[in-house]
């Protein structure tokens, strides 16, 4: 079967964008058609200033929400990145294949480093090198496909480059993966800043709908969404980004097409009301299942324990092969 790997970073509460752009696709399609692994990538949360207790709390919550969104441990592997040592083991080996120039061209590093320089500060070294850790996440499992949003495609391209370079220099070791992007709502935008992604790292803001927002909170945020000048409801991502974002969210929630949905509305108010109700209904079963899982923490812990064990068994042969290929001496007890 095709091997699929993807993950969520516990740097903030998961959002509607995470669900419509990725998690729902993982549950409805990817876990059924492939040998799929889904991971809470907690090591990536350490690249910025953070509260350790909060990272642990958000990691548990993210794992619970992955299961609440419909991931079935009987069909896929759900685990936490730091529970599988092979990620860190492989990351260093790949750092020995990557170049400084490649890391400094990564868009997220360039943007965050520039912001910190403006404040008179600096970023952590791990922010520069974390794309290599992401490549290790992918390559350790012989991944064929990585379902990601468009903003993460550059990182999958790096994983492809590193895999191909390693294979050429040291012998065929890694599968060269490819990125796959959902066709609709691959990038849900901030309701107040439609030019910006609806990111989970920003803890406050009326433009972000979180998966655990109460229905009335969801309605208030959607009804206050920024729209564009003019009265006609049309779908135009370039000229009417606020309106296009609402139409794409409604389309993702109802299964329609944004341009066709626009034809049914003659006012922004009606569109906002229908979009708000559609979002509430989409989130309702996720929130209900999450409440059930919170009442049974032992179940979630068991899923993560078994998932890590399974993931470890899948990754270790590939990582051991990479160690041998690059020239590292095997442990003495393994050599006997």
């Amino acid at each position: 079967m095709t091997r699929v790997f993807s993950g969520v970073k516990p740097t903030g509460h998961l959002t509607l964008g995470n669900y419509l752009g990725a998690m729902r696709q993982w549950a409805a399609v990817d876990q059924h058609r492939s040998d799929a692994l889904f991971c809470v990538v907690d090591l990536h949360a350490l690249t910025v200033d953070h509260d350790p207790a909060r990272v642990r709390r958000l990691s548990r919550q993210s794992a619970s929400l992955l299961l609440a969104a419909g991931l079935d441990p009987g069909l896929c592997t759900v685990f936490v990145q730091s529970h599988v040592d092979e990620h860190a083991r492989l990351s260093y080996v790949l750092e020995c294949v990557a170049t400084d120039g490649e890391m400094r061209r990564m868009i997220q590093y360039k943007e965050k480093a520039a912001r910190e320089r403006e404040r008179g500060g600096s970023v952590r070294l791990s922010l520069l090198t974390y794309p290599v850790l992401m490549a290790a996440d992918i390559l350790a499992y012989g991944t064929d496909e990585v379902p990601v949003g468009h903003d993460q495609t550059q990182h999958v391209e790096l994983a492809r480059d590193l895999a191909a370079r390693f294979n050429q220099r040291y012998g065929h070791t890694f599968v060269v993966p490819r990125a796959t992007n959902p066709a609709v709502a691959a990038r849900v935008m901030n309701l107040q800043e439609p030019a910006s992604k609806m990111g989970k790292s920003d803890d406050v803001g009326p433009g972000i709908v979180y998966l655990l927002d109460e229905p009335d909170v969801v309605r208030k945020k959607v009804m206050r969404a920024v729209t564009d000048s003019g009265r006609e409801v049309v779908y135009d991502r370039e000229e009417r980004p606020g309106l296009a974002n609402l139409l794409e969210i409604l389309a993702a929630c109802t299964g329609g097409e944004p341009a066709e949905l626009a034809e049914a509305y003659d006012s922004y108010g009606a569109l906002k009301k229908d979009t708000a109700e559609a979002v509430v209904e989409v989130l309702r079963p996720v929130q209900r299942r999450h409440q059930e899982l919170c009442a049974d923490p032992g179940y979630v812990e068991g899923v993560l324990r078994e998932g890590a064990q399974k993931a470890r068994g899948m990754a270790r042969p590939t990582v051991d092969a990479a160690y041998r290929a690059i020239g590292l001496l095997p442990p003495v007890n393994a050599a006997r």
Side-chain angles (χ1 to χ4, degrees):
M1 295 178 68
T2 299
R3 177 70 55 79
V4 169
F5 177 94
S6 199
V8 294
K9 184 166 60 172
T11 50
H13 298 286
L14 294 178
T15 72
L16 178 67
N18 297 124
Y19 181 68
L20 295 181
M23 294 163 63
R24 188 172 64 170
Q25 170 82 9
W26 298 348
V29 178
D30 293 324
Q31 68 173 343
H32 297 283
R33 70 172 180 85
S34 62
D35 183 7
L37 300 100
F38 300 106
C39 181
V40 178
V41 287
D42 54 343
L43 294 175
H44 291 290
L46 310 185
T47 61
V48 296
D49 189 30
H50 63 278
D51 173 12
R54 185 171 184 269
V55 171
R56 286 191 291 269
R57 184 171 63 253
L58 289 175
S59 295
R60 293 190 192 97
Q61 185 185 88
S62 296
S64 297
L65 282 169
L66 288 175
L67 298 174
L71 293 186
D72 181 350
L75 298 174
C76 65
T77 305
V78 181
F79 67 105
V80 175
Q81 178 191 33
S82 63
H83 295 176
V84 180
D85 294 344
E86 278 65 29
H87 292 255
R89 287 181 63 209
L90 183 57
S91 182
Y92 179 74
V93 167
L94 293 179
E95 283 186 16
C96 298
V97 179
T99 68
D100 177 75
E102 285 175 315
M103 297 300 97
R104 296 187 187 278
R105 287 194 294 271
M106 292 288 116
I107 293 173
Q108 292 192 22
Y109 172 77
K110 290 168 65 175
E111 292 177 347
K112 291 181 179 180
R115 286 198 296 267
E116 284 301 317
R117 282 196 297 270
E118 290 175 359
R119 300 188 186 107
S122 61
V123 297
R124 300 182 181 193
L125 177 62
S126 56
L127 184 67
L128 177 66
T129 59
Y130 92 90
V132 179
L133 176 58
M134 185 180 292
D137 299 338
I138 296 166
L139 299 181
Y141 296 99
T143 302
D144 299 297
E145 296 181 5
V146 187
V148 292
H150 292 285
D151 60 319
Q152 293 293 327
T153 300
Q154 184 186 37
H155 291 135
V156 181
E157 289 301 315
L158 175 68
R160 290 174 54 84
D161 291 343
L162 295 181
R165 189 178 307 154
F166 190 101
N167 290 346
Q168 182 179 22
R169 291 179 181 177
Y170 305 113
H172 184 79
T173 306
F174 298 116
V175 173
V176 179
R178 61 184 179 276
T180 57
N181 303 121
V184 178
R187 197 177 190 199
V188 177
M189 312 306 282
N190 189 297
L191 295 174
Q192 292 296 316
E193 301 176 17
S196 301
K197 178 183 174 183
M198 186 182 284
K200 62 180 178 297
S201 297
D202 183 5
D203 271 348
V204 295
I208 303 171
V209 176
Y210 296 104
L211 295 188
L212 298 179
D213 276 347
E214 295 288 337
D216 285 346
V217 174
V218 173
R219 293 185 182 101
K220 183 180 294 186
K221 289 179 177 180
V222 176
M223 293 304 295
R224 293 180 178 177
V226 167
T227 49
D228 311 283
S229 60
R231 297 182 177 180
E232 185 181 6
V233 179
V234 295
Y235 178 66
D236 188 330
R237 168 51 71 183
E238 297 299 322
E239 300 296 327
R240 312 284 287 278
L243 199 56
N245 190 35
L246 288 172
L247 288 165
E248 289 180 356
I249 291 172
L250 180 60
C253 291
T254 62
E257 291 293 332
E260 294 177 3
L261 289 170
E263 298 174 358
Y265 294 95
D266 55 15
S267 73
Y268 293 168
L271 171 61
K272 287 182 175 181
K273 182 177 179 181
D274 284 356
T275 302
E277 294 306 319
V279 171
V280 167
E281 290 306 312
V282 160
L283 296 185
R284 193 183 304 279
V286 177
Q287 294 177 351
R288 182 170 58 245
R289 178 58 178 153
H290 180 260
Q291 290 179 341
E292 295 171 355
L293 291 168
C294 287
D296 187 9
Y299 172 76
V300 177
E301 291 173 3
V303 168
L304 296 179
R305 182 171 55 252
E306 293 175 9
Q309 182 177 358
K310 182 179 178 182
R312 199 176 299 118
M314 297 166 71
R316 183 165 295 168
T318 298
V319 177
D320 286 349
Y323 269 50
R324 290 192 300 271
I326 205 169
L328 297 177
L329 192 67
V332 174
N333 61 349
R336 290 177 180 174

